[in-house]
Every structure is written in C-alpha cells, then in structure tokens.
Amino acid sequence: MGSKTWDGVLLVHSTTRMLALRLTVSALLLCGTCGFSRYWFNQLNNCNPPEQLVGKFCAVVVDNDVDDDGIVDFRDVQKQILYFDYDDDPCSLQQWEVVTRWTCRYGYSEDYARFMYTLWDPNKDGVVNANDFTGFNFSTIDFLSIQYIRFKDMYCGDPKNRENPVDRVQCAEVDALKPEDIKCT
C-alpha cells in the first residue's frame, strides 16, 4: 500500500505514517502509566477546578450551600454528599470517593483530600455518612473562613504536608493570603 523503495530502504507513504503516529498517540493517551490518566479522567468527569486557592475555597462554599440560603447546615451536607457518589452507594462515602471529588472538583492534592476524609470520619470507622455531620450549621461567610483556616493552619501548618508538589504550591499561596483576601465575588 503506497510504499516506495529507495536504495534498499522501504519508505512508507505519508498517510500510513500518519496513521501509525495517530495510533501511537492514542495508545499513549489511553495507557494509565503515561501520565495522561488524570487528564482524561478530569475531561470525562467535568473536572474544572479553580486555579487560585480562593476560588477553591469559594467552590467548596457554593457546593455546600445547596439550597443557596446563605447557611451551610446538615440538610445541605446530606444533599451535597450525593456529589461524591461514584460507587452507587449514596448513603456513605469511601475515602477514594472523597479523594476523587477533592482532586477533581477543587484541584487539591490527594494528600489534602485524605486529610479531609480523616476529619469527616470522627469515629474512625472507615465510612463517612450524613450522621458524621450532625450539628453542622455555619453561615457561608463563616464556612468560607473555615476553609481558609483549616487549609492554612491545620494542613499547611504541618511541615510534612508541604512535601507534595501540589501542596508546596498551594501552601505557599495560602501563606501569601491575608484573611481579608478571602472573599467570593
């Protein structure tokens, strides 16, 4: 098919080379060890995390105030947990579901997502459900402040949490922020 010989070397027609190149690129994009797996997961699952840390904080607030009443409460959390459901069990969250949501939707590191999961599982039974959030009631302004304080003080305040490349960048960003910088427009 469309090949020529030149001094004993088989030259393949350009369309065949293009097809081979396309197949190679497709194989590279589909293999999980090529570094593209997170990219394709994000594209297929509508992952579009905010680039700036304040945007991440605000996205968490918007997602948690499900009824848009300016209060993040137990009812909102019960509904918001459904966004984490990747295994068709809407009543409980596994750690991998939280990691998936926090890395995909918000753009945090997997380490921070695991940290969040440990906060949500106060009885340490390995499963998070709506009962783990009883007594949850904050204004969205307070909830936004909690996002900032938790990330800056509780997470980035521990030097071991600054080793991950994503965390290094995000912790440096939160270090440069002041409380008055934390507002959603």
Side-chain angles (χ1 to χ4, degrees):
M1 164 184 192
S3 60
K4 298 179 183 177
T5 304
W6 180 64
D7 285 342
V9 177
L10 181 66
L11 300 177
V12 179
H13 191 269
S14 64
T15 57
T16 306
R17 282 188 293 181
M18 286 303 296
L19 178 61
L21 178 61
R22 286 181 185 161
L23 289 173
T24 302
V25 168
S26 296
L28 289 173
L29 290 176
L30 292 176
C31 81
T33 61
C34 302
F36 295 101
S37 58
R38 180 174 304 272
Y39 171 81
W40 284 112
F41 176 86
N42 289 348
Q43 295 301 314
L44 297 172
N45 288 289
N46 298 318
C47 296
N48 190 15
E51 290 184 27
Q52 301 297 314
L53 203 51
V54 172
K56 296 174 192 316
F57 298 154
C58 292
V60 172
V61 172
V62 167
D63 287 355
N64 279 275
D65 185 12
V66 176
D67 57 11
D68 201 27
D69 66 352
I71 303 290
V72 177
D73 61 13
F74 178 68
R75 292 171 302 171
D76 290 317
V77 172
Q78 284 180 318
K79 294 174 191 169
Q80 200 264 355
I81 283 177
L82 295 174
Y83 296 135
F84 288 77
D85 181 28
Y86 295 101
D87 66 356
D88 294 327
D89 178 4
C91 297
S92 65
L93 299 175
Q94 303 298 319
Q95 185 178 46
W96 70 269
E97 291 176 295
V98 173
V99 168
T100 300
R101 177 74 175 172
W102 278 74
T103 57
C104 170
R105 169 67 177 110
Y106 307 119
Y108 288 109
S109 71
E110 291 180 19
D111 294 337
Y112 184 65
R114 285 187 189 90
F115 169 80
M116 288 302 300
Y117 186 83
T118 61
L119 294 179
W120 293 355
D121 187 16
N123 60 1
K124 307 298 181 220
D125 65 355
V127 177
V128 173
N129 57 40
N131 294 333
D132 290 322
F133 293 98
T134 58
F136 208 78
N137 191 3
F138 301 97
S139 73
T140 52
I141 293 168
D142 290 340
F143 194 68
L144 177 63
S145 180
I146 290 168
Q147 303 310 307
Y148 167 69
I149 292 167
R150 180 178 50 222
F151 192 76
K152 181 177 176 87
D153 297 340
M154 291 178 68
Y155 188 73
C156 293
D158 185 344
K160 75 175 176 59
N161 292 332
R162 291 174 176 257
E163 295 172 5
N164 179 306
V166 173
D167 289 334
R168 266 196 303 271
V169 170
Q170 291 178 354
C171 287
E173 185 178 349
V174 81
D175 289 342
L177 292 171
K178 295 178 178 73
E180 57 270 14
D181 298 330
I182 311 303
K183 51 188 149 199
C184 304
T185 55

